[in-house]
């Protein structure tokens, strides 16, 4: 008997959506595109499938997952939406925003996915392939980024394949993603809290709420509120040096805008997140370019400064994690 250790990759189609649906229904693991990054999906109501998912990603089990649903109505079956949560859902869903809300009595999401918390993180993705799979299944789907824990998040099906081939059942290839950084996570508590900067800029959320978002306050030694806060995360193998104003010979350069810093001529390779300094374009390129530069094993990756407004907050957050000391 031969054992198939490779994972099927299907181009997005109605047939691929059906295959994904039956695979998820049977407790399988399916990677699929969302507008932010590729997600690794499992039936959120199936504890055994979720246990396999943690194993495939080699993810610390205390890190809770986001439940993805097709629309607000499905979201309200698993989470309780107060006025602020409702306002945010109506303004930004479907889209790159995750809301953490109290679970409903009848919440079907497995305890393993919420790490035993009384709250659940919910997102309604906009990507047509994600939408089609969620509608076909009619159940919430947990989907962390489809990479091994600690690696750079995947923005193409090829990235997913490189990280998870043989460890998951299926990859649906919907081409490169458009947003490129993970969803913004807002905790809808008494005062809404920004738990993770992401694809919806803080400014846009604050404009809808008419008030500033609070910063999370993790009690010392406590389990992280949004363990996206684990310090080294999104880590390339090469050392990453931020706010570089010059390039050392042999370093790769992750540039942003023009002009390039002194020493760029001697860089092993230069990739510009956005020649024109456009933050939306930069977010879409971020993870793919980090992977591409890292692939050539440079002596290090120098990163030019990136502004901190709009999507720049999420970009700088991910870059800071990529540069953080490794465990
Ligand atoms: O864009 C995205 O959000 C992608 C795509 C695939 O949808 N997914 C994603 O999932 O980034 P993941 O698992 O990598 O990030 C989930 C984050 C973690 O930081 C986790 O701690 C936080 O959500 N989270 C989940 N449930 C939570 C809860 N009840 N309270 C606070 N944080 C929670
Ligand atoms: Mg991730």
């Amino acid at each position: 008997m031969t054992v198939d250790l490779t994972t099927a990759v299907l181009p997005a189609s109605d047939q691929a959506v059906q295959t994904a649906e039956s695979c998820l229904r049977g407790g399988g693991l399916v990677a699929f595109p969302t507008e932010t990054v590729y997600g690794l999906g499992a039936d959120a109501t199936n504890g055994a499938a979720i246990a396999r998912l943690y194993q495939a990603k080699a993810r610390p089990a205390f890190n809770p997952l986001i439940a993805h649903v097709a629309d607000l109505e499905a979201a309200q079956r698993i989470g309780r939406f107060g006025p602020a949560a409702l306002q945010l859902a109506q303004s930004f869903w479907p889209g790159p925003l995750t809301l953490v809300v109290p679970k409903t009595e009848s919440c079907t999401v497995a305890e393993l996915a919420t790490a035993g918390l009384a709250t659940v993180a919910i997102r309604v993705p906009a990507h047509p392939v994600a939408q089609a799979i969620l509608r076909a299944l009619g159940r919430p789907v947990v989907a962390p980024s489809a990479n091994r824990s600690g690696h750079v998040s995947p923005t193409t099906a090829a990235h997913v394949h490189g990280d998870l081939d043989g460890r998951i059942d299926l990859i649906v290839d919907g081409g490169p993603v458009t947003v490129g950084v993970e969803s913004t996570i807002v905790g809808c508590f008494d005062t809404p809290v920004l738990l993770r900067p992401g694809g919806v800029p803080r400014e846009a959320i604050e404009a809808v709420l008419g008030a500033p978002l609070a910063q999370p306050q993790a009690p010392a030694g406590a389990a992280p509120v949004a363990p996206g806060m684990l310090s080294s995360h999104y880590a390339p193998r090469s050392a990453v040096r931020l706010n570089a104003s010059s390039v050392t010979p042999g370093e790769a350069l992750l540039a942003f805008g023009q002009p390039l810093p002194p020493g760029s001529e001697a860089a092993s390779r230069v990739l510009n997140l956005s020649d024109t300094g456009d933050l939306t374009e930069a977010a879409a390129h971020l993870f793919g370019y980090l992977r591409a530069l890292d692939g050539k094993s440079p002596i290090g990756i120098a990163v030019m400064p990136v502004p901190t407004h709009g999507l720049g907050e999420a970009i700088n957050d991910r870059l800071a994690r990529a540069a953080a000391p490794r465990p």
Side-chain angles (χ1 to χ4, degrees):
M1 193 185 99
T2 57
V3 180
D4 189 2
L5 291 175
T6 60
T7 298
V9 184
L10 295 179
S13 67
D14 291 350
Q15 181 60 48
V17 167
Q18 273 181 34
T19 309
E21 184 262 343
S22 58
C23 188
L24 288 168
R25 197 172 292 282
L29 303 180
V30 177
F32 61 87
T34 82
E35 67 277 26
T36 57
V37 298
Y38 272 72
L40 177 57
D43 176 353
T45 67
N46 181 336
I50 297 164
R52 280 187 65 213
L53 189 154
Y54 280 117
Q55 212 173 16
K57 272 190 64 96
R59 180 182 184 122
F62 52 76
N63 204 350
L65 302 169
I66 298 170
H68 296 66
V69 292
D71 52 32
L72 177 57
E73 205 187 320
Q76 286 179 307
R77 287 198 281 271
I78 57 174
R80 277 193 284 123
F81 285 67
L86 206 52
Q87 216 177 3
L88 292 178
Q90 282 161 348
S91 303
F92 297 107
W93 280 355
L97 176 69
T98 295
L99 298 173
V100 175
V101 296
K103 287 179 187 171
T104 58
E105 291 280 323
S106 57
C107 179
T108 50
V109 176
E111 284 286 327
L112 189 54
T114 56
L117 298 169
T119 53
V120 59
I122 312 176
R123 169 158 121 78
V124 175
H127 196 290
V129 173
Q131 274 286 329
I133 292 172
L134 292 170
R135 287 192 186 282
L137 186 66
R139 294 180 193 163
V141 169
V142 287
S145 50
N147 53 277
R148 295 235 201 161
S149 191
H151 287 196
V152 175
S153 294
T155 53
T156 66
H159 296 161
V160 179
H161 194 260
D163 254 26
L164 296 175
D165 184 31
R167 301 172 73 89
I168 65 176
D169 300 299
L170 176 67
I171 301 171
V172 181
D173 184 353
V177 303
T178 52
V179 176
V181 290
E182 296 86 346
S183 60
T184 303
I185 305 182
V186 173
C188 300
F189 312 130
D190 291 341
T191 310
V193 177
L194 182 66
L195 295 175
R196 175 176 77 181
V200 178
R202 167 203 291 272
E203 295 89 333
I205 295 168
E206 293 180 339
V208 165
L209 293 174
L213 285 163
Q215 292 296 339
Q217 296 179 345
V225 203
M229 316 251 152
L230 290 171
S231 49
S232 170
H233 207 104
Y234 311 101
R237 280 166 303 168
S238 317
V240 174
R241 188 166 67 82
L242 301 180
N243 295 317
S245 52
S246 66
V247 183
T248 308
E251 267 186 327
L253 175 64
L254 186 64
F256 178 83
Q258 299 285 350
L260 301 186
S264 305
E265 326 74 55
S268 63
R269 190 171 178 200
V270 179
L271 287 176
N272 201 325
L273 289 171
S274 169
D275 280 318
T276 59
D278 179 292
L279 288 167
T280 304
E281 185 187 11
H285 287 151
L286 178 66
F287 291 136
Y289 283 8
L290 274 174
R291 276 178 187 264
L293 294 179
D294 197 35
K296 298 277 192 268
S297 302
I299 60 168
I301 301 175
V303 184
M304 282 172 68
V306 176
T308 54
H309 63 266
L311 285 180
E313 186 175 10
I315 295 171
N316 278 288
D317 172 81
R318 305 309 187 270
L319 285 171
R321 291 172 206 285
R326 309 296 152 75

